[in-house]
Amino acid sequence: MLNFKEKTYLCTIIKIEIMAKKKQKNQQTGQQFLSPEKFMKQRARSLEIGTCFVSEDMHKYGEGYVVVTRRHTGGRISVALYLIDIFCLGVKDSFYRLRLEEDELEEMLDHMPNIIECSYEEAHNWVYGAIAWAEEAGIAPDKSFAITKYMLEEDNDDIPLIEYEFGHNGKHWLMANNNLELSRYLPLLKKNLGEGNYTFTVKTDYEDADLSEEEILDKMENFEDSPLFKNYGPDTEYTYHHPDYPKTLQLESPGWLYQELQDTKNAMYLTEELISRILALPHDTLRRDLEQMVLYHIGQTCDGIPDEYDPNGYTGIIPNCIILLGEVGNEESSLNVVLETLRQSLEFRDYHFGDYGSEIIVPTLYLLGQNRLDALMNFIKEEGLETFFKCHVFSAVAYIAIAQPQRRNEVIEWFREAIRFATKMLPKTQWIDNVLAGMMLNDLIDIQAKELLPELREMFATELVDIGACGDFNKVSRMIANPYYEGNVSMYKTNIYQRFENLKRYWDNIDGKK
C-alpha cells in the first residue's frame, strides 16, 4: 500500500516516464501531430469515451485517482489522470497523455494499485464533486486542470448527478503534507468557512512516528484530543491606516514603459527582450517611476478591489514592479515602497499576489533589505499588520544566512531579538500572533538555527505558538538538528531573468501551455 508521500509523487513519476518514451518514439518515427494543447481543447471531447478507473479506497483514505480514457479511431488511447482529495482540496494534480498504445496505458495503470473500473459518469462526478467541495473553501483545482478538463465532458445537466460524500463528518478536513502546505490553505479555510467549520492535520506529525497509513488515519481522526486543534488565541486584527497615495502618475521614463507594464499579456511575466529593454533605461529614473507606479496602484486597490478591476484582465503591474525594483531599487526609498506593499490587507494580497507572493516578494526583500536589518525588524514590530505578509520578512532574513553564510551570526542575533519580542507580545496578539510565531519557526528550521533553541523553548512555554504551523518544540528541535533536512528558503532565485522565467512556468501551467 502506498503511503501519503508516495501517493503525492506518483503523478510526477508517471509523467516523467511517459514523456521520455513518447519523446523517444516521436524522434524515431518523425511523426508530427497537432500541438497537444490545441488537440485537447479542440478535439479531445470528440473522441469516444473509453474505460475509466477510480481508486477503490477513495472514501477510506480521502484521496485517490480518477482515470479517464478516450479512444482514437486508429486504436490508440488518450488518457487523463486526476489525483483528487475528497476531504478538502479537490483536484490536487492532473496530467494527460495523447495517443498511447495499449501496453503504454497498461504500464501506467500498473503504477496505481487499488484502482477499479468504473463508469464515465462515476469518474465525472468524483472529479467535479471534489472540485465543488473544495471551492466552498475557496480552493481552486490545481493549475493543470485548466487543460486536463478537456478530457472530461462539460459539467452540465447532460451528465447524471451522482451524490458522493465529500469531507469528513460533514466538514472540510485539510490533511496537509507539511507545514508549508498548511500555511497555504489554512487562511482560505478560515476566510471562507469560518472558525469551527473545518479541521486540519499535518501528516508529517504522524509519519515521523513510523506508523502505517491506517494507524495515521486513526490518529488523525481523533483530532478533538490533539494539541494541533487547541485554541492558541485570536489572529492579529488588521488595523493599518494607510497614508495618502499618489492619485496621478507623473513618469519620467518613455511612455512605452507604463504601457508595457499595463498590458495584460505581460501580467506577472516579462520576456527576456522586454526585461533587457527596461533595464537599458537610466536606473535612477526607472527606479523612481517603478516606485511611483507601485504606490499609485496601491492607492487604487488598498480600500478594496474596484468592480472595474476584472481579475481576468489583471496586469500584474505591482508584482512586476517589485521584481524590477529588486534589480534597480535602493535600500531606502525602494525598500520603503516594498514594505508599504506588505502593510496592505488580505484582500489586497490575494488579488495582487495569490499563491505566488513569496516567490515575488522574498527575493526583492532580500536584495533591498540585506543591509537594512534594522528596517526589517522595525516592520516586524509594527502593530496590526497582515500575518502572511509579515512572514515574507522572516524568509528574506533567513535567506541571508543561506546566500551569505559569513553573515550567519548576524542573522541569528536578528532572529534572537524577533523571538524575544514574540515571547513578550504573543499574549497581546496585535504584533505577533500564534500563526506568525509558528511560521517564523519554519524559517529557523530551514537555516538550522540550533543557537536559538533556549529562546524557542521560552517562546513555546507561552503555549501561544500555533503548533499546527510548525510542530511542537520537540519536533522543531529535532528538525533544526537534522543535517539532512531540505528547507524551502534556499529555493528562491535572485537573478531577474530566472525570477520571471519561474513565473512564466507557473502561468504557463495555469494556461495549459506545457
Side-chain angles (χ1 to χ4, degrees):
M1 181 179 294
L2 296 178
N3 64 31
F4 286 117
K5 291 181 180 177
E6 289 171 332
K7 281 186 177 181
T8 301
Y9 297 129
L10 180 56
C11 284
T12 302
I13 294 170
I14 298 173
K15 290 178 192 177
I16 293 172
E17 289 184 358
I18 295 180
M19 285 176 67
K21 290 185 178 181
K22 290 298 290 183
K23 180 178 180 182
Q24 182 182 34
K25 182 170 289 189
N26 288 342
Q27 287 175 341
Q28 293 171 347
T29 64
Q31 289 179 294
Q32 298 295 320
F33 300 110
L34 186 68
S35 73
E37 296 80 9
K38 288 184 178 179
F39 183 90
M40 284 290 289
K41 292 180 179 180
Q42 297 174 15
R43 296 182 55 189
R45 285 175 175 161
S46 67
L47 299 176
E48 178 187 359
I49 294 174
T51 309
C52 299
F53 303 88
V54 65
S55 292
E56 185 176 17
D57 49 14
M58 185 83 74
H59 269 123
K60 183 176 182 180
Y61 296 117
E63 64 179 30
Y65 307 105
V66 175
V67 181
V68 173
T69 69
R70 288 181 181 264
R71 292 194 167 273
H72 297 253
T73 54
R76 294 199 177 189
I77 304 167
S78 290
V79 59
L81 183 149
Y82 308 87
L83 175 61
I84 65 172
D85 173 357
I86 67 170
F87 284 168
C88 185
L89 298 179
V91 175
K92 297 177 64 175
D93 194 9
S94 66
F95 73 93
Y96 68 95
R97 292 294 174 262
L98 304 179
R99 303 180 178 89
L100 298 181
E101 301 285 1
E102 286 276 2
D103 60 341
E104 291 178 301
L105 175 63
E106 290 175 4
E107 185 176 353
M108 188 191 86
L109 296 176
D110 286 342
H111 284 281
M112 294 179 289
N114 301 324
I115 60 169
I116 57 174
E117 189 173 329
C118 68
S119 68
Y120 171 76
E121 288 76 15
E122 290 174 304
H124 183 103
N125 278 275
W126 273 121
V127 174
Y128 276 104
I131 289 174
W133 179 251
E135 286 178 343
E136 290 184 19
I139 299 170
D142 180 74
K143 50 188 174 290
S144 60
F145 190 70
I147 190 70
T148 58
K149 67 181 181 182
Y150 291 100
M151 197 67 74
L152 302 167
E153 296 292 290
E154 291 188 23
D155 187 37
N156 55 36
D157 292 340
D158 292 338
I159 306 298
L161 177 63
I162 303 174
E163 294 187 359
Y164 292 115
E165 180 182 351
F166 295 95
H168 182 75
N169 294 333
K171 293 182 179 181
H172 289 74
W173 181 13
L174 172 62
M175 297 191 298
N177 287 299
N178 49 50
N179 293 312
L180 183 64
E181 187 174 59
L182 179 70
S183 70
R184 176 184 180 188
Y185 292 113
L186 195 55
L188 293 174
L189 299 181
K190 289 183 178 181
K191 177 182 176 182
N192 294 290
L193 301 176
E195 293 287 353
N197 296 317
Y198 61 88
T199 55
F200 66 89
T201 313
V202 183
K203 294 175 185 173
T204 51
D205 289 338
Y206 298 99
E207 288 182 337
D208 287 347
D210 195 27
L211 302 172
S212 70
E213 187 167 3
E214 291 192 40
E215 290 172 322
I216 291 172
L217 282 166
D218 288 340
K219 286 184 174 291
M220 289 167 71
E221 287 193 70
N222 296 322
F223 51 79
E224 295 89 349
D225 301 324
S226 171
L228 286 172
F229 303 100
K230 179 181 175 182
N231 182 359
Y232 295 95
D235 298 334
T236 295
E237 180 185 356
Y238 181 71
T239 58
Y240 181 63
H241 297 289
H242 62 75
D244 291 332
Y245 299 114
K247 292 183 171 55
T248 60
L249 282 172
Q250 296 179 345
L251 305 178
E252 304 172 63
S253 301
W256 62 262
L257 174 64
Y258 187 65
Q259 183 178 352
E260 290 284 3
L261 293 178
Q262 274 284 87
D263 196 322
T264 56
K265 78 174 187 297
N266 296 321
M268 298 187 73
Y269 167 66
L270 306 182
T271 64
E272 287 190 21
E273 179 183 4
L274 181 55
I275 296 168
S276 298
R277 187 182 179 197
I278 292 172
L279 295 181
L281 296 170
H283 281 197
D284 282 346
T285 299
L286 176 59
R287 172 187 57 78
R288 289 193 294 270
D289 284 351
L290 292 172
E291 292 171 359
Q292 190 178 167
M293 290 180 207
V294 172
L295 292 174
Y296 171 77
H297 283 279
I298 289 177
Q300 297 297 302
T301 54
C302 61
D303 292 324
I305 310 303
D307 292 339
E308 61 268 23
Y309 274 61
D310 178 7
N312 295 321
Y314 179 57
T315 66
I317 190 166
I318 288 181
N320 283 336
C321 287
I322 285 178
I323 295 176
L324 289 165
L325 282 172
E327 190 74 9
V328 302
N330 61 31
E331 60 185 29
E332 297 295 336
S333 60
S334 302
L335 178 60
N336 289 336
V337 166
V338 175
L339 292 178
E340 189 62 27
T341 305
L342 303 190
R343 293 185 177 99
Q344 306 309 312
S345 67
L346 179 61
E347 181 184 16
F348 178 97
R349 176 182 177 272
D350 288 346
Y351 178 78
H352 287 287
F353 299 99
D355 294 334
Y356 224 59
S358 59
E359 287 78 2
I360 294 166
I361 296 167
V362 172
T364 293
L365 273 179
Y366 162 76
L367 291 166
L368 301 182
Q370 58 184 303
N371 298 317
R372 290 297 314 279
L373 294 185
D374 58 334
L376 299 182
M377 180 59 70
N378 289 338
F379 179 83
I380 289 296
K381 293 181 178 181
E382 290 186 29
E383 179 181 0
L385 299 185
E386 164 58 38
T387 284
F388 286 90
F389 263 150
K390 274 192 174 182
C391 287
H392 299 319
V393 176
F394 290 132
S395 296
V397 175
Y399 188 73
I400 297 174
I402 299 292
Q404 304 177 54
Q406 71 277 12
R407 297 184 62 186
R408 177 180 174 84
N409 289 340
E410 185 181 358
V411 170
I412 292 296
E413 291 307 312
W414 188 92
F415 272 108
R416 196 186 307 277
E417 181 178 350
I419 296 168
R420 288 172 175 169
F421 177 76
T423 302
K424 177 182 177 182
M425 305 306 289
L426 271 169
K428 301 180 182 180
T429 299
Q430 281 304 100
W431 289 263
I432 299 278
D433 64 17
N434 56 90
V435 174
L436 182 56
M439 294 301 296
M440 173 175 60
L441 294 174
N442 291 315
D443 293 311
L444 296 179
I445 292 170
D446 283 351
I447 63 173
Q448 296 188 293
K450 297 184 288 293
E451 304 94 322
L452 298 175
L453 287 175
E455 286 79 8
L456 293 180
R457 185 184 295 276
E458 291 184 17
M459 188 171 74
F460 272 101
T462 66
E463 297 187 351
L464 294 172
V465 177
D466 187 345
I467 66 174
C470 61
D472 61 17
F473 176 75
N474 289 333
K475 179 180 179 181
V476 168
S477 59
R478 288 198 311 272
M479 295 179 73
I480 283 178
N482 181 1
Y484 301 106
Y485 175 76
E486 295 183 3
N488 299 296
V489 171
S490 58
M491 70 181 182
Y492 296 114
K493 306 295 182 184
T494 55
N495 177 279
I496 189 168
Y497 295 98
Q498 290 180 337
R499 295 179 67 185
F500 276 111
E501 184 60 30
N502 286 346
L503 286 175
K504 180 179 185 298
R505 293 193 190 101
Y506 175 75
W507 291 110
D508 278 357
N509 282 337
I510 288 180
D511 293 333
K513 301 175 183 176
K514 296 187 177 181

